[in-house]
Amino acid sequence: MRFKTNRLFKHFQSFYCKQFSTIISLKNTTIKAHSSREYLWHYSPFVCVYSSDTKKSFQNLEKRAEALKDAFEQKKEQIRDTEQKIRLKSVEFVRDIKQHKNVTSKKLRVKKEVLIKDILETKAKVKEKIEGVVEKENVFTIPNILCFTRIAMSPYLGYVIMQDDYHLALGLLTFAGITDLLDGWIARNWKGQASKMGSFLDPMADKVLIATLFISLTCQNLIPLALTLLIVARDAALVSAGFVIRYISLPPPRTLSRYFDVTHATAQLAPTFISKVNTAIQLLLVGTTLASPVFGYVDHPALQALFGVTAGSTVISAISYLTNKDTYKVLKKL
């Protein structure tokens, strides 16, 4: 009951305070001014107490609001300073990263240049050592040029035989035989004309010439096919063995440019005696067979017997290459 009375009193006091402030503002109305003086006279203690408490409360609230505003401004200023510091730190950090990146790039560039220089120097030293191990010789000698001439002439000789021009073919074969005799004689008797490359080139030229003659004469039905296959297979095996020997005898690095560089002599071929005899028999066979249409003794019994002798010598020479250990020699310059 007391609580409700207090609340009613407060509402009443608030109402009359409002009435008082309203009446004071109306200065031209005397009756209301008089009544306001009566109200103030009767209720002034209550109004003054309530106004004093409210004013203190507002003053406290204003002080707290000012304090909170000052604190907020201080925090805001601190946040602004912190953001500025973070921004400066970020700029410094980015600048340090760029400087470190530039320094690292320069170091890597210098190391790369040094590494490339070392690789080139090492490559030059290795090449120099290899050149010292592998003997380098002059391949443009007269015997080698004669061998190249026989190799280049062989396809044309086969073409002439296929055209049934046996007179011209016999003349070309005679010329090839003369060059074969000359290159061997020059290499043995002229100083500086012998070469390790010639030991491979001379038998290869003979193999190319003989294979061309046998194939073209077989196409003209002048030599049996079985004999031609036997001779071509044996010569192909010898040529393949020569490429393998070249690869084995070539010191590392084994590159294509060094492999086909004919100025680097890495091995020397030494044909067996039976192989030389077999080559002479084969040349005799193709020569007599090529001359048979010219002189009219095709299918002569002596020619048939020469076919058998050639086949036997070819087989024996192939076996001699397999059993003889001195067929080739790897060269090493000391």
Side-chain angles (χ1 to χ4, degrees), residues 175-188:
F175 174 77
I178 293 172
T179 59
D180 191 16
L181 294 175
L182 278 177
D183 64 18
W185 183 82
I186 293 172
R188 288 189 300 268

Side-chain angles (χ1 to χ4, degrees), residues 12-24:
F12 179 79
Q13 187 179 12
S14 176
F15 172 77
Y16 279 102
C17 286
K18 290 178 181 180
Q19 291 295 327
F20 173 76
S21 60
T22 303
I23 294 170
I24 291 299

